Amino acid sequence: MEGLTKSDANLTVYVHPSQSKNVDKAILRELSSLLFKYSQAFDGVVLAYSVDPQDNCAKILSGVHPYFGVRLRANLLIFSPKPNMLLEGKIVKITRGSIHCIVLGFSSAIITDENIRNELKYKAKHGEGVYVSRYHKRHVIKVGAVIRFVVKSLDEEILHISGSLIPANTGSVHWLDKYFVDAATESNKEAKTEEEMEMQEQIIVGTETLPSVNDHKVKKSKKRRRAEDQ
């Protein structure tokens, strides 16, 4: 899945003097406050981290409450979805006009009907809504399945993603991983066959028109011969 990156960052964590007896715990608490929130500094959502203190000496900051800063190096896992990226999410709800899913267990995503390609049709089966491909009956999108979709936009405040199932390489991950290559190959073969048939028709039409022109020339030459004989 796209949108996941690892980042090495040099950070300075500011710790309150009351936490000076257990600095390591204070640092972890501060870094944990960054988790699953959009950070402009990292241009994404911090999902995980590991730290490596770079300096045992803390820098005292002047002020009413003299915080002290601890420098450290952090390895961060960042989730930063951008438009046109491919993401995967688990479907939690399907209606006639939308598909709702959860990405990485915390970010919600929605694909509305105008962003679902015509190939996928809504049907009600056993009281539950599903989307089924008109061309590939095994391609079924239902609650509990994992889908692959394209990012259209991201609401950074509530971490809500708007997605699309318009491209052919989107849909049920199970079907795409198992059958998409074969289906794409068949589609290419069909397109190639249709193209060859069109070329053959053009050739046939071309060969049919030639004799008619030749016949006309032959008839014309016969008339000239008769006129000369007379």
Side-chain angles (χ1 to χ4, degrees):
M1 184 175 73
E2 299 178 347
L4 290 173
T5 57
K6 292 182 179 180
S7 175
D8 294 331
N10 293 317
L11 305 176
T12 300
V13 176
Y14 300 106
V15 182
H16 191 274
S18 63
Q19 305 294 322
S20 60
K21 292 182 179 180
N22 197 339
V23 175
D24 291 341
K25 185 177 180 180
I27 291 174
L28 294 177
R29 185 183 296 110
E30 289 297 321
L31 291 177
S32 295
S33 66
L34 298 175
L35 295 177
F36 305 109
K37 296 178 182 178
Y38 187 87
S39 171
Q40 291 185 349
F42 300 117
D43 190 25
V45 181
V46 180
L47 301 182
Y49 64 84
S50 62
V51 296
D52 179 20
Q54 296 294 299
D55 195 345
N56 294 327
C57 298
K59 182 180 179 181
I60 304 297
L61 303 178
S62 60
V64 179
H65 299 289
Y67 281 76
F68 57 93
V70 180
R71 293 191 304 168
L72 53 87
R73 186 175 183 82
N75 298 316
L76 307 174
L77 179 62
I78 307 294
F79 176 55
S80 183
K82 303 294 183 184
N84 300 321
M85 281 186 176
L86 284 172
L87 297 185
E88 295 177 4
K90 186 174 183 179
I91 300 175
V92 294
K93 182 180 179 182
I94 291 180
T95 68
R96 184 175 293 276
S98 61
I99 298 174
H100 303 257
C101 62
I102 299 295
V103 179
L104 295 175
F106 74 93
S107 182
S108 61
I110 183 172
I111 300 99
T112 54
D113 55 353
E114 64 267 22
N115 293 312
I116 301 174
R117 60 183 181 273
N118 294 330
E119 172 198 345
L120 301 171
K121 293 298 180 181
Y122 176 85
K123 292 183 179 180
K125 289 188 176 182
H126 309 293
E128 294 185 356
V130 299
Y131 277 87
V132 182
S133 170
R134 293 190 299 176
Y135 310 134
H136 311 285
K137 299 304 180 183
R138 295 181 179 180
H139 191 182
V140 180
I141 297 174
K142 59 184 179 180
V143 173
V146 178
I147 61 170
R148 186 173 296 141
F149 62 93
V150 171
V151 176
K152 291 194 65 182
S153 62
L154 168 69
D155 188 320
E156 298 172 355
E157 291 186 3
I158 60 175
L159 300 180
H160 188 273
I161 302 169
S162 174
S164 170
L165 290 177
I166 297 297
N169 62 337
T170 60
S172 168
V173 170
H174 174 75
W175 185 86
L176 290 171
D177 291 347
K178 197 170 184 180
Y179 300 106
F180 179 68
V181 175
D182 294 338
T185 302
E186 290 179 3
S187 299
N188 291 335
K189 286 182 179 179
E190 291 177 359
K192 189 175 182 180
T193 302
E194 290 179 359
E195 184 179 354
E196 290 176 350
M197 290 178 64
E198 290 179 358
M199 292 178 64
Q200 290 177 358
E201 289 177 357
Q202 292 176 359
I203 293 173
I204 292 172
V205 170
T207 55
E208 287 179 348
T209 56
L210 290 175
S212 62
V213 175
N214 293 336
D215 290 345
H216 178 70
K217 289 182 178 180
V218 170
K219 291 179 181 178
K220 190 173 182 180
S221 61
K222 286 182 178 180
K223 289 181 179 180
R224 287 182 178 177
R225 289 176 182 176
R226 290 177 182 175
E228 291 175 355
D229 293 339
Q230 290 176 356

